Amino acid sequence: MKKILVTGGTGFIGSHTVVELQQEGYEVIIVDNFSNSSIDVLDNITRITGIKPAFEEFDLSDRIKTADFFRRNKDIEGIIHFAAFKAVGESMEKPIEYYQNNVVSLLNILENMKAYGIRDMVFSSSCTVYGQPDELPVTEQAPIKQAWSPYGNTKQMCEEILSFTTSALPIRTIALRYFNPIGAHESALIGELPLGVPNNLVPFITQTAIGLRKVLSVFGDDYNTPDGTAIRDYIHVVDIAKAHVVAIQRMIGEKGKSDLEIFNLGTGNGSSVLEVIQSFERVSGEKLNYQIKPRRPGDVEKVWADTRFANEELGWKAELGMDEMMASAWKWEKALASKK
Ligand code: UD1
């Protein structure tokens, strides 16, 4: 059984990926420091798959602890590296923490891949590297725009580090640029667990509907879009998780065509904020309390993925639609509420 290290494996996308990996027969070891997740996730993964993943709690930006971990786990055959901070606004206030956590962790992992001859890694990147693209849908060849937040900058820097490192060393990487991952596992045992007030749209919607928040602010209705609200490519987290399994299989199966491959993970469909709200209301039967507010600084107007390269070359396609995303997010929110 191939052993895969999943860093950030108790987080939102990480936990869904661990489930898919286990269900495909991989042995998983998770490293996480619970900076934005909870220990209960381990039990909930086990409830879904029947297999308890191995787990170690430490911070991958700690060079000594990371080296010690790899010294004890020389049989790791591939790595999926999720562990990172991801809140755009927070990164403006805590730039050093963002560079320290996101960039140094990657370097520490690469150093040990080199030391122990671990060749394959899947890296979590983001459509944020495109900024506001000049052309839509955006392809992987679109120019990288100057980052406006330290968060976005860390993703750009990490991609650059991977580009030079994979050219120089026997290391291969697939960087997956996620658009907007939402939704939850159909079991409602794992999902997105924002600590504190959510920044992202969908957790804010479900928390408002369940009564944890009074009103959802819709940030701007004066964009150059059909209904005036901003457009994103929302994608089901389970589809994203499955893409990681395909990516790791591709590398282990020697199908990669270059040392660093980059793929967009989106559906190819853009939805406005109001369309997301309408889908939520339709599938939940709830009326959502929302108000139009000014634009949120730093938001782009519209972005959605050109998915052809991922569909054709990676051989993966998003399968679940907006209503399935909203239904699963709502089921998860209700499951959380029933535990309180
Ligand atoms: C951004 C980044 C993404 C990053 C993510 C991490 C872009 C294009 N995307 O996603 O790469 O991984 O942050 O957090 O830069 N909205 C509201 N009300 C709310 C919350 C959001 O109207 O309370 C709107 C936003 O203005 C936006 C849309 O909903 O138009 C989605 O917002 P959000 O879920 O925060 O994701 P992005 O900002 O697109």
Side-chain angles (χ1 to χ4, degrees):
M1 212 196 276
K2 300 218 181 292
K3 181 165 161 182
I4 307 294
L5 164 63
V6 181
T7 76
T10 59
F12 176 42
I13 307 176
S15 58
H16 289 81
T17 301
V18 170
V19 166
E20 297 299 323
L21 283 168
Q22 289 183 326
Q23 288 176 339
E24 286 294 319
Y26 288 95
E27 180 187 348
V28 175
I29 179 162
I30 296 175
V31 171
D32 205 307
N33 65 351
F34 299 126
S35 66
N36 192 28
S37 62
S38 132
I39 194 165
D40 306 340
V41 174
L42 292 171
D43 287 337
N44 291 332
I45 289 171
T46 313
R47 268 187 207 112
I48 296 171
T49 63
I51 307 158
K52 195 165 179 74
F55 173 77
E56 292 206 19
E57 181 179 353
F58 68 90
D59 184 340
L60 289 151
S61 65
D62 184 321
R63 193 176 180 193
I64 311 255
K65 286 189 181 148
T66 305
D68 176 62
F69 169 81
F70 279 98
R71 204 175 300 121
R72 289 182 287 104
N73 288 279
K74 295 197 179 92
D75 54 344
I76 288 171
E77 294 199 34
I79 300 174
I80 305 183
H81 179 39
F82 292 103
F85 292 152
K86 59 155 196 177
V88 174
E90 182 187 60
S91 78
M92 306 289 248
E93 276 133 49
K94 300 182 174 171
I96 298 170
E97 286 87 340
Y98 269 69
Y99 289 109
Q100 181 81 30
N101 194 43
N102 295 7
V103 181
V104 175
S105 301
L106 176 67
L107 292 173
N108 288 344
I109 292 167
L110 287 170
E111 179 174 58
N112 287 285
M113 289 175 78
K114 180 183 167 208
Y116 296 104
I118 303 168
R119 193 188 56 183
D120 300 324
M121 173 164 64
V122 181
F123 176 72
S124 295
S125 190
S126 166
C127 73
T128 199
V129 301
Y130 299 121
Q132 177 61 62
D134 302 323
E135 282 170 43
L136 289 167
V138 62
T139 71
E140 290 83 353
Q141 275 72 48
I144 300 301
K145 294 276 173 73
Q146 166 129 41
W148 70 273
S149 75
Y151 161 71
N153 192 212
T154 65
K155 292 295 169 190
Q156 297 178 342
M157 289 171 72
C158 288
E159 283 196 7
E160 287 171 0
I161 290 168
L162 291 174
S163 172
F164 285 110
T165 307
T166 54
S167 320
L169 301 172
I171 290 178
R172 295 192 318 200
T173 306
I174 293 181
L176 299 175
R177 291 182 178 156
Y178 313 148
F179 282 67
N180 286 59
I182 60 168
H185 195 262
E186 59 179 6
S187 63
L189 286 164
I190 53 172
E192 193 166 2
L193 240 191
L195 303 177
V197 183
N199 296 304
N200 297 111
L201 178 63
V202 172
F204 212 106
I205 289 177
T206 55
Q207 287 197 6
T208 305
I210 208 116
L212 290 171
R213 313 274 156 214
K214 279 207 174 63
V215 53
L216 168 79
S217 299
V218 172
F219 297 136
D221 70 346
D222 57 352
Y223 285 108
N224 181 23
T225 60
D227 66 22
T229 63
I231 295 179
R232 296 287 183 275
D233 186 340
Y234 296 92
I235 171 167
H236 200 297
V237 64
V238 172
D239 277 326
I240 294 256
K242 289 182 173 161
H244 289 75
V245 179
V246 174
I248 204 83
Q249 267 162 356
R250 176 182 178 84
M251 283 191 285
I252 291 175
E254 308 285 348
K255 278 185 275 179
K257 298 229 166 102
S258 61
D259 292 333
L260 171 61
E261 293 184 301
I262 295 177
F263 295 101
N264 283 339
L265 294 190
T267 64
N269 303 312
S271 304
S272 72
V273 177
L274 291 180
E275 284 171 337
V276 176
I277 293 173
Q278 281 154 13
S279 167
F280 175 77
E281 290 186 330
R282 191 165 54 240
V283 301
S284 68
E286 303 284 323
K287 189 93 199 75
L288 195 73
N289 186 23
Y290 68 88
Q291 278 172 7
I292 307 295
K293 287 285 168 68
R295 293 180 180 194
R296 184 170 68 176
D299 273 347
V300 301
E301 182 167 272
K302 48 191 167 198
V303 60
W304 60 92
D306 188 320
T307 63
R308 280 174 301 174
F309 188 55
N311 298 162
E312 288 158 21
E313 185 58 42
L314 193 58
W316 160 93
K317 197 174 191 319
E319 280 165 4
L320 301 165
M322 179 56 75
D323 285 0
E324 285 153 314
M325 301 181 212
M326 299 314 286
S328 65
W330 182 229
K331 189 176 172 193
W332 163 244
E333 188 69 60
K334 286 192 289 185
L336 282 178
S338 70
K339 280 189 213 113
K340 283 193 183 131

